[in-house]
Amino acid sequence: MISVAMAVALRAMNRFFKPEKPLTFSGKGAMIKLADLMVQRGSQRHLLVTDSFLLQNGMLDGVLDFLKSEGCDVTIYDGIIPNPTFAVVEEGVAAIHKGDCDSVFAVGGGSAIDAAKVMAAASTSKKPLNKLAGLMKVDQPLLPFYVVATTSGTGSEVTTAAVISDTETHKKKFFVDPKYVPIAAAFDTDLLVSLPGPMTAATGMDALTHAIESFTSLARTQDTERDAATAVRLIVKYLPDAYYNPSDEHAREMVAFGSFLAGNAFTRSSLGYVHAISHQISAHYNPPPGLANAILLPRVLRFNERACAMRFAKLERMLQGNEALPYAPGQAKQFIKRIDALADAVYIPVNLDDVQQRDFSAIAKEALAEARSSYAVPKTMRKGDVTKLLQSVSTGSRAVSFA
């Protein structure tokens, strides 16, 4: 019943607060095009939010030179870490005030983008940072906010949400508001091709998780279903090419578009148990971005197989290229096997060694609470289901059997 109530609430919010997709640039030179747009819109003092790897490897030299040639001042914050904390956001806000910045420009993956979103909000807010956590808590317009996505996983460049960890407890705090959608986003293939193979795989499977959980959400709409299905098609087709041929710009761009569409879908329809559980795993063990979702996805698909048989079958027929085929019970199993095969093809591990039995109870309790409060899931898990799933993650077997 809780999932149904959540679905009704999400549909109502979408009706009255439907977020717009940001303007997008893609291909070679997309980052410079985005920077030019910022300047033409009147921004002259930018906070550049990024990580030290991109900065130190010279990957941002071109855009910094461009902004300098346009007479802009750039304050750089490169303290982004995986699963950014309140302390990271506070450092960024201090940098905004010190540089008298009039815009925020994020270049990086989901961690950089999420942190930059909240920096842009907290820098103008009359509230303390912790009071911005939650649903519709933004009280002032954000600083103009722009994004260059360097990974293809979180979809944060199009979502209304950011996830920031409490500095002391490491628990995830959700910041959700339509104002968090950036003005514009760029997918620059010169940056995308630099993504290492393991991160390409994990973030790609993360984006696929967004798409599937949106497609099966009880709060889905025709629009979110269309975007989620297209995202599944793009990621399943192009992720192996991006993994095995990292310089394939077309494959990189298509996976990025898939991530973008999946992000747009789930921000309006909600996620599911893959994310509810992975958020707790990340809080306890801090695995690489996207990896926990990639490992959990095949197991949660098996949990949902009966409840989502028609949905999985519809995706399988689409991927076979014959959507006119009638439904057959075996199609859902074929879809799950297809996702298993994709995970194997890009070398997603079957287990996480760090996951310890002593933490199962706490992870299960927190995951179930998150799902109850936030997601319109198609089938309700119990504590025993989460424990069984975590056991399989610890031992390395995807073939979990649920009652």
Side-chain angles (χ1 to χ4, degrees):
M1 293 299 293
I2 291 174
S3 293
V4 174
M6 180 58 64
V8 172
L10 284 166
R11 288 193 186 107
M13 190 174 77
N14 286 330
R15 179 179 177 184
F16 294 104
F17 301 102
K18 184 176 180 179
E20 297 295 330
K21 292 179 183 176
L23 177 68
T24 56
F25 301 90
S26 66
K28 280 186 174 295
M31 180 163 56
I32 301 298
K33 295 173 186 175
L34 180 64
D36 194 12
L37 174 69
M38 291 194 303
V39 174
Q40 299 307 318
R41 286 177 60 91
S43 294
Q44 288 289 309
R45 300 181 306 280
H46 315 282
L47 177 73
L48 172 60
V49 179
T50 190
D51 59 64
S52 58
F53 175 83
L54 291 172
L55 191 66
Q56 292 172 7
N57 283 273
M59 301 173 76
L60 305 182
D61 289 353
V63 73
L64 289 172
D65 288 344
F66 171 81
L67 290 171
K68 183 178 179 180
S69 73
E70 294 292 323
C72 298
D73 294 324
V74 180
T75 300
I76 298 175
Y77 178 78
D78 65 347
I80 293 299
I81 57 175
N83 301 309
T85 63
F86 279 26
V88 167
V89 173
E90 288 164 348
E91 289 170 359
V93 172
I96 289 172
H97 293 320
K98 184 176 181 179
D100 191 25
C101 298
D102 60 11
S103 65
V104 176
F105 179 34
V107 183
S111 295
I113 298 170
D114 277 9
K117 285 180 178 180
V118 184
M119 291 174 191
S123 64
T124 61
S125 178
K126 297 178 182 178
K127 299 179 180 180
L129 177 57
N130 66 314
K131 296 297 184 181
L132 290 174
L135 181 63
M136 306 291 287
K137 300 295 185 179
V138 176
D139 60 332
Q140 300 293 326
L142 275 65
L143 279 185
F145 173 51
Y146 305 85
V147 167
V148 179
T150 60
T151 64
S152 304
T154 67
S156 188
E157 68 277 358
V158 71
T159 67
T160 59
V163 182
I164 306 295
S165 297
D166 185 287
T167 306
E168 301 298 327
T169 67
H170 303 292
K171 288 187 176 181
K172 306 282 188 180
K173 299 292 184 179
F174 295 88
F175 295 72
V176 184
D177 196 291
K179 296 185 183 71
Y180 285 123
V181 176
I183 293 169
F187 308 102
D188 193 312
T189 49
D190 289 330
L191 293 175
L192 293 172
V193 298
S194 69
L195 195 66
M199 190 172 290
T200 297
T203 57
M205 293 297 290
D206 188 5
L208 181 63
T209 302
H210 293 153
I212 295 172
E213 290 196 322
S214 174
F215 193 81
T216 56
S217 168
L218 297 183
R220 64 184 180 268
T221 66
Q222 283 187 329
D223 287 344
T224 65
E225 181 172 336
R226 181 184 62 251
D227 281 354
T230 303
V232 170
R233 189 196 300 269
L234 289 172
I235 295 165
V236 169
K237 180 175 181 179
Y238 288 106
L239 180 58
D241 292 340
Y243 180 84
Y244 286 102
N245 304 295
S247 61
D248 186 334
E249 294 181 0
H250 180 66
R252 292 285 193 178
E253 202 169 358
M254 290 302 101
V255 174
F257 283 149
S259 175
F260 178 86
L261 290 171
N264 186 64
F266 89 73
T267 200
R268 294 159 57 194
S269 62
S270 88
L271 294 165
Y273 284 114
V274 175
H275 281 81
I277 298 168
S278 73
H279 286 156
Q280 317 318 318
I281 289 176
S282 294
H284 281 263
Y285 312 112
N286 202 25
L291 183 60
N293 282 344
I295 291 172
L296 289 167
L297 176 59
R299 294 162 167 94
V300 176
L301 291 181
R302 287 174 167 83
F303 174 79
N304 283 329
E305 183 178 353
R306 290 185 184 177
C308 296
M310 299 287 287
R311 308 299 294 163
F312 292 168
K314 187 173 183 177
L315 290 173
E316 177 60 25
R317 294 194 301 274
M318 176 193 72
L319 293 171
Q320 289 179 11
N322 196 345
E323 297 179 60
L325 279 174
Y327 166 76
Q331 291 165 352
K333 289 189 181 298
Q334 287 177 306
F335 177 72
I336 294 173
K337 289 180 179 178
R338 185 187 291 272
I339 302 306
D340 284 343
L342 177 62
D344 289 339
V346 295
Y347 292 96
I348 296 296
V350 294
N351 71 310
L352 271 175
D353 293 331
D354 291 341
V355 177
Q356 301 296 317
Q357 188 164 356
R358 65 175 180 268
D359 298 320
F360 285 4
S361 180
I363 291 173
K365 180 180 178 181
E366 292 157 3
L368 293 175
E370 179 178 318
R372 282 195 300 270
S373 65
S374 304
Y375 306 142
V377 294
K379 180 183 177 183
T380 302
M381 276 193 179
R382 294 177 172 82
K383 188 174 182 179
D385 297 318
V386 182
T387 300
K388 185 181 292 187
L389 189 150
L390 291 171
Q391 185 66 46
S392 77
V393 169
S394 178
T395 60
S397 172
R398 287 190 191 133
V400 192
S401 178
F402 296 97

